[in-house]
Amino acid sequence: QVQLVESGGGSVQAGGSLRLSCAASGYTFSTHCIVWFRQAPGKEREGLAALYTGGSTPFYADSVKDRFTISQDNAKNTVYLQMNNLQPEDTAMYYCAASRGYCAWQPRWRSASQYKDWGQGTQVTVSS
């Protein structure tokens, strides 16, 4: 029902910044919870930040709350993840996911099983 396309990944030196974009299509009048995840090889998929597109305070994982910011541009149907002070441990494939309506409360929003619509991912590589 909802198609998601991530972009903005790439290679960056430690301490650098990237802004990821999650462009949504396939719906017109609904609101969604959009969540950014990442998954490194051999690791579980990790929820990072969540935003209800109808307007609410975002949720963040403790590991990224001081460096990452989730935001939206409603006119463009796009959700962003601004990532600052990137470190090698941030290297992963980054995905966005969507569910209809409000985000679940903590910690359920961080569970990948709660979302049925996923983008293809964008790779972020941080070198030291």
Side-chain angles (χ1 to χ4, degrees):
Q1 183 177 4
V2 179
Q3 292 80 51
L4 304 173
V5 178
E6 302 96 336
S7 62
S11 181
V12 65
Q13 291 286 123
S17 299
L18 288 171
R19 189 181 73 164
L20 306 183
S21 298
C22 175
S25 62
Y27 64 95
T28 305
F29 301 110
S30 61
T31 58
H32 290 77
C33 177
I34 305 296
V35 183
W36 282 99
F37 287 81
R38 68 184 179 191
Q39 188 167 27
K43 301 286 188 177
E44 295 182 354
R45 192 162 293 191
E46 177 187 15
L48 305 174
L51 181 67
Y52 173 58
T53 61
S56 68
T57 302
F59 295 161
Y60 294 98
D62 288 343
S63 60
V64 303
K65 66 180 180 181
D66 295 326
R67 298 183 295 125
F68 292 8
T69 303
I70 190 169
S71 62
Q72 67 176 324
D73 185 335
N74 190 56
K76 297 180 179 179
N77 291 319
T78 299
V79 174
Y80 303 100
L81 186 68
Q82 178 68 44
M83 306 187 297
N84 297 326
N85 193 24
L86 286 162
Q87 300 299 312
E89 54 264 37
D90 297 315
T91 295
M93 185 71 76
Y94 283 70
Y95 302 89
C96 60
S99 63
R100 187 73 172 270
Y102 297 114
C103 298
W105 207 252
Q106 295 196 50
R108 187 164 175 249
W109 70 267
R110 299 187 64 194
S111 298
S113 62
Q114 303 301 306
Y115 308 96
K116 67 176 182 178
D117 297 313
W118 293 81
Q120 292 295 107
T122 185
Q123 178 68 40
V124 171
T125 302
V126 184
S127 61
S128 59

